[in-house]
Amino acid sequence: MEEPEMQLKVKKVTDKFTESMYVLANEPSVALYRLQEHVRRSLPELAQHKADMQSWEEQSQGAIYTVEYACSAIKNMKDSGVYFKNIEGLLRHTISLKDRLHSARR
């Protein structure tokens, strides 16, 4: 065989081989395998992140409940000022009645 003819045949064979390798590397089943491997590697980390987020959400909900309860207690204490003033007035009145009774006995 002549040299140019041999080079042409070698080029055709290498081109076909390259094309076959390209098709094989980009075949859908290979892509699905790569996707499956990616999911297999990523899933445990994602599951851990999900568990962490759920734990943080529970802690946050507990803290929110505590703050809301504290705010409600403070509001109730603020509103109870009227009752304490009423009790103070009644105690002063009782003390004055006691003093009058005590002075009337003498």
mmCIF file of all heavy atoms in Angstrom, residues 7-32:
data_model
loop_
_atom_site.group_PDB
_atom_site.id
_atom_site.type_symbol
_atom_site.label_atom_id
_atom_site.label_comp_id
_atom_site.label_asym_id
_atom_site.label_seq_id
_atom_site.Cartn_x
_atom_site.Cartn_y
_atom_site.Cartn_z
ATOM 1 N N GLN A 7 -2.336 6.356 5.292
ATOM 2 C CA GLN A 7 -2.675 7.460 6.192
ATOM 3 C C GLN A 7 -4.181 7.738 6.172
ATOM 4 O O GLN A 7 -4.773 8.023 7.212
ATOM 5 C CB GLN A 7 -1.897 8.719 5.803
ATOM 6 C CG GLN A 7 -0.447 8.666 6.198
ATOM 7 C CD GLN A 7 0.294 9.947 5.821
ATOM 8 O OE1 GLN A 7 -0.247 10.832 5.142
ATOM 9 N NE2 GLN A 7 1.545 10.040 6.247
ATOM 10 N N LEU A 8 -4.778 7.645 4.983
ATOM 11 C CA LEU A 8 -6.216 7.853 4.867
ATOM 12 C C LEU A 8 -6.977 6.783 5.651
ATOM 13 O O LEU A 8 -7.928 7.085 6.379
ATOM 14 C CB LEU A 8 -6.630 7.859 3.393
ATOM 15 C CG LEU A 8 -8.108 8.122 3.114
ATOM 16 C CD1 LEU A 8 -8.516 9.516 3.587
ATOM 17 C CD2 LEU A 8 -8.394 7.953 1.636
ATOM 18 N N LYS A 9 -6.566 5.525 5.517
ATOM 19 C CA LYS A 9 -7.224 4.447 6.240
ATOM 20 C C LYS A 9 -7.036 4.601 7.754
ATOM 21 O O LYS A 9 -7.975 4.392 8.533
ATOM 22 C CB LYS A 9 -6.693 3.088 5.766
ATOM 23 C CG LYS A 9 -7.193 2.704 4.406
ATOM 24 C CD LYS A 9 -6.719 1.325 4.016
ATOM 25 C CE LYS A 9 -7.276 0.972 2.639
ATOM 26 N NZ LYS A 9 -6.882 -0.356 2.219
ATOM 27 N N VAL A 10 -5.852 4.971 8.171
ATOM 28 C CA VAL A 10 -5.586 5.173 9.605
ATOM 29 C C VAL A 10 -6.433 6.327 10.124
ATOM 30 O O VAL A 10 -7.018 6.244 11.218
ATOM 31 C CB VAL A 10 -4.077 5.426 9.851
ATOM 32 C CG1 VAL A 10 -3.832 5.948 11.260
ATOM 33 C CG2 VAL A 10 -3.273 4.173 9.590
ATOM 34 N N LYS A 11 -6.540 7.392 9.341
ATOM 35 C CA LYS A 11 -7.368 8.533 9.753
ATOM 36 C C LYS A 11 -8.818 8.121 9.888
ATOM 37 O O LYS A 11 -9.491 8.505 10.838
ATOM 38 C CB LYS A 11 -7.215 9.682 8.767
ATOM 39 C CG LYS A 11 -8.085 10.873 9.121
ATOM 40 C CD LYS A 11 -7.514 12.128 8.582
ATOM 41 C CE LYS A 11 -8.353 13.340 8.804
ATOM 42 N NZ LYS A 11 -8.968 13.503 10.070
ATOM 43 N N LYS A 12 -9.327 7.311 8.908
ATOM 44 C CA LYS A 12 -10.715 6.863 8.989
ATOM 45 C C LYS A 12 -10.936 6.003 10.237
ATOM 46 O O LYS A 12 -11.938 6.144 10.928
ATOM 47 C CB LYS A 12 -11.091 6.064 7.728
ATOM 48 C CG LYS A 12 -11.353 6.903 6.515
ATOM 49 C CD LYS A 12 -11.786 6.017 5.356
ATOM 50 C CE LYS A 12 -12.033 6.838 4.107
ATOM 51 N NZ LYS A 12 -12.447 5.996 2.977
ATOM 52 N N VAL A 13 -10.000 5.116 10.503
ATOM 53 C CA VAL A 13 -10.137 4.239 11.676
ATOM 54 C C VAL A 13 -10.100 5.073 12.956
ATOM 55 O O VAL A 13 -10.927 4.875 13.863
ATOM 56 C CB VAL A 13 -9.030 3.159 11.672
ATOM 57 C CG1 VAL A 13 -8.964 2.440 13.016
ATOM 58 C CG2 VAL A 13 -9.251 2.163 10.559
ATOM 59 N N THR A 14 -9.169 5.996 13.060
ATOM 60 C CA THR A 14 -9.086 6.813 14.279
ATOM 61 C C THR A 14 -10.307 7.712 14.422
ATOM 62 O O THR A 14 -10.808 7.912 15.528
ATOM 63 C CB THR A 14 -7.799 7.661 14.305
ATOM 64 O OG1 THR A 14 -7.740 8.452 13.118
ATOM 65 C CG2 THR A 14 -6.570 6.793 14.410
ATOM 66 N N ASP A 15 -10.813 8.232 13.306
ATOM 67 C CA ASP A 15 -12.030 9.057 13.362
ATOM 68 C C ASP A 15 -13.218 8.226 13.839
ATOM 69 O O ASP A 15 -14.018 8.671 14.671
ATOM 70 C CB ASP A 15 -12.330 9.684 12.000
ATOM 71 C CG ASP A 15 -11.395 10.833 11.639
ATOM 72 O OD1 ASP A 15 -10.672 11.293 12.560
ATOM 73 O OD2 ASP A 15 -11.385 11.263 10.467
ATOM 74 N N LYS A 16 -13.367 7.019 13.304
ATOM 75 C CA LYS A 16 -14.459 6.142 13.717
ATOM 76 C C LYS A 16 -14.313 5.768 15.196
ATOM 77 O O LYS A 16 -15.289 5.726 15.940
ATOM 78 C CB LYS A 16 -14.505 4.860 12.864
ATOM 79 C CG LYS A 16 -15.005 5.068 11.479
ATOM 80 C CD LYS A 16 -16.500 5.313 11.508
ATOM 81 C CE LYS A 16 -17.034 5.402 10.104
ATOM 82 N NZ LYS A 16 -18.440 5.692 10.066
ATOM 83 N N PHE A 17 -13.082 5.483 15.603
ATOM 84 C CA PHE A 17 -12.835 5.135 17.000
ATOM 85 C C PHE A 17 -13.174 6.326 17.918
ATOM 86 O O PHE A 17 -13.823 6.158 18.949
ATOM 87 C CB PHE A 17 -11.370 4.715 17.187
ATOM 88 C CG PHE A 17 -11.042 4.327 18.591
ATOM 89 C CD1 PHE A 17 -11.459 3.107 19.103
ATOM 90 C CD2 PHE A 17 -10.314 5.181 19.410
ATOM 91 C CE1 PHE A 17 -11.163 2.752 20.394
ATOM 92 C CE2 PHE A 17 -10.026 4.830 20.705
ATOM 93 C CZ PHE A 17 -10.439 3.609 21.212
ATOM 94 N N THR A 18 -12.752 7.522 17.512
ATOM 95 C CA THR A 18 -13.049 8.728 18.288
ATOM 96 C C THR A 18 -14.550 8.963 18.373
ATOM 97 O O THR A 18 -15.098 9.261 19.432
ATOM 98 C CB THR A 18 -12.359 9.952 17.656
ATOM 99 O OG1 THR A 18 -10.965 9.726 17.604
ATOM 100 C CG2 THR A 18 -12.643 11.214 18.448
ATOM 101 N N GLU A 19 -15.235 8.794 17.252
ATOM 102 C CA GLU A 19 -16.686 8.976 17.230
ATOM 103 C C GLU A 19 -17.367 7.943 18.129
ATOM 104 O O GLU A 19 -18.284 8.261 18.886
ATOM 105 C CB GLU A 19 -17.202 8.857 15.795
ATOM 106 C CG GLU A 19 -18.702 9.070 15.677
ATOM 107 C CD GLU A 19 -19.206 8.879 14.245
ATOM 108 O OE1 GLU A 19 -18.390 8.863 13.303
ATOM 109 O OE2 GLU A 19 -20.429 8.748 14.108
ATOM 110 N N SER A 20 -16.902 6.706 18.071
ATOM 111 C CA SER A 20 -17.480 5.649 18.908
ATOM 112 C C SER A 20 -17.265 5.956 20.390
ATOM 113 O O SER A 20 -18.172 5.766 21.218
ATOM 114 C CB SER A 20 -16.856 4.294 18.575
ATOM 115 O OG SER A 20 -17.164 3.925 17.261
ATOM 116 N N MET A 21 -16.083 6.417 20.729
ATOM 117 C CA MET A 21 -15.802 6.762 22.136
ATOM 118 C C MET A 21 -16.665 7.943 22.585
ATOM 119 O O MET A 21 -17.172 7.957 23.701
ATOM 120 C CB MET A 21 -14.314 7.100 22.319
ATOM 121 C CG MET A 21 -13.399 5.903 22.163
ATOM 122 S SD MET A 21 -13.817 4.541 23.275
ATOM 123 C CE MET A 21 -13.427 5.239 24.842
ATOM 124 N N TYR A 22 -16.851 8.918 21.709
ATOM 125 C CA TYR A 22 -17.678 10.078 22.036
ATOM 126 C C TYR A 22 -19.126 9.652 22.271
ATOM 127 O O TYR A 22 -19.764 10.061 23.246
ATOM 128 C CB TYR A 22 -17.589 11.114 20.909
ATOM 129 C CG TYR A 22 -18.441 12.336 21.161
ATOM 130 C CD1 TYR A 22 -18.003 13.335 22.021
ATOM 131 C CD2 TYR A 22 -19.685 12.474 20.565
ATOM 132 C CE1 TYR A 22 -18.780 14.452 22.264
ATOM 133 C CE2 TYR A 22 -20.472 13.584 20.811
ATOM 134 C CZ TYR A 22 -20.020 14.571 21.665
ATOM 135 O OH TYR A 22 -20.795 15.667 21.904
ATOM 136 N N VAL A 23 -19.656 8.808 21.400
ATOM 137 C CA VAL A 23 -21.035 8.324 21.538
ATOM 138 C C VAL A 23 -21.165 7.505 22.821
ATOM 139 O O VAL A 23 -22.123 7.653 23.579
ATOM 140 C CB VAL A 23 -21.459 7.496 20.293
ATOM 141 C CG1 VAL A 23 -22.758 6.750 20.551
ATOM 142 C CG2 VAL A 23 -21.595 8.400 19.088
ATOM 143 N N LEU A 24 -20.197 6.642 23.065
ATOM 144 C CA LEU A 24 -20.238 5.801 24.260
ATOM 145 C C LEU A 24 -20.162 6.638 25.532
ATOM 146 O O LEU A 24 -20.899 6.393 26.501
ATOM 147 C CB LEU A 24 -19.084 4.800 24.220
ATOM 148 C CG LEU A 24 -19.061 3.770 25.343
ATOM 149 C CD1 LEU A 24 -20.306 2.901 25.265
ATOM 150 C CD2 LEU A 24 -17.822 2.919 25.245
ATOM 151 N N ALA A 25 -19.322 7.659 25.535
ATOM 152 C CA ALA A 25 -19.167 8.499 26.727
ATOM 153 C C ALA A 25 -20.395 9.357 26.983
ATOM 154 O O ALA A 25 -20.670 9.721 28.124
ATOM 155 C CB ALA A 25 -17.940 9.389 26.572
ATOM 156 N N ASN A 26 -21.140 9.678 25.934
ATOM 157 C CA ASN A 26 -22.306 10.544 26.086
ATOM 158 C C ASN A 26 -23.626 9.792 25.937
ATOM 159 O O ASN A 26 -24.664 10.398 25.731
ATOM 160 C CB ASN A 26 -22.235 11.690 25.081
ATOM 161 C CG ASN A 26 -21.095 12.620 25.405
ATOM 162 O OD1 ASN A 26 -21.020 13.122 26.515
ATOM 163 N ND2 ASN A 26 -20.201 12.810 24.463
ATOM 164 N N GLU A 27 -23.590 8.498 26.062
ATOM 165 C CA GLU A 27 -24.807 7.697 25.959
ATOM 166 C C GLU A 27 -25.714 8.021 27.152
ATOM 167 O O GLU A 27 -25.237 8.274 28.261
ATOM 168 C CB GLU A 27 -24.431 6.213 25.976
ATOM 169 C CG GLU A 27 -25.604 5.300 25.780
ATOM 170 C CD GLU A 27 -25.191 3.840 25.821
ATOM 171 O OE1 GLU A 27 -24.002 3.540 25.881
ATOM 172 O OE2 GLU A 27 -26.103 3.022 25.799
ATOM 173 N N PRO A 28 -27.027 8.032 26.947
ATOM 174 C CA PRO A 28 -27.946 8.379 28.040
ATOM 175 C C PRO A 28 -27.788 7.504 29.280
ATOM 176 O O PRO A 28 -27.876 7.990 30.403
ATOM 177 C CB PRO A 28 -29.330 8.194 27.423
ATOM 178 C CG PRO A 28 -29.125 8.400 25.966
ATOM 179 C CD PRO A 28 -27.744 7.872 25.682
ATOM 180 N N SER A 29 -27.518 6.229 29.119
ATOM 181 C CA SER A 29 -27.370 5.373 30.295
ATOM 182 C C SER A 29 -26.135 5.767 31.111
ATOM 183 O O SER A 29 -26.144 5.683 32.335
ATOM 184 C CB SER A 29 -27.296 3.903 29.885
ATOM 185 O OG SER A 29 -26.151 3.669 29.090
ATOM 186 N N VAL A 30 -25.082 6.234 30.430
ATOM 187 C CA VAL A 30 -23.897 6.704 31.148
ATOM 188 C C VAL A 30 -24.236 7.988 31.899
ATOM 189 O O VAL A 30 -23.842 8.166 33.052
ATOM 190 C CB VAL A 30 -22.713 6.919 30.177
ATOM 191 C CG1 VAL A 30 -21.539 7.552 30.902
ATOM 192 C CG2 VAL A 30 -22.299 5.604 29.544
ATOM 193 N N ALA A 31 -25.013 8.850 31.267
ATOM 194 C CA ALA A 31 -25.419 10.085 31.933
ATOM 195 C C ALA A 31 -26.273 9.775 33.155
ATOM 196 O O ALA A 31 -26.116 10.391 34.213
ATOM 197 C CB ALA A 31 -26.178 10.981 30.962
ATOM 198 N N LEU A 32 -27.185 8.819 33.017
ATOM 199 C CA LEU A 32 -28.007 8.428 34.161
ATOM 200 C C LEU A 32 -27.162 7.813 35.269
ATOM 201 O O LEU A 32 -27.415 8.046 36.450
ATOM 202 C CB LEU A 32 -29.107 7.458 33.717
ATOM 203 C CG LEU A 32 -30.183 8.060 32.818
ATOM 204 C CD1 LEU A 32 -31.140 6.972 32.346
ATOM 205 C CD2 LEU A 32 -30.942 9.155 33.550
#
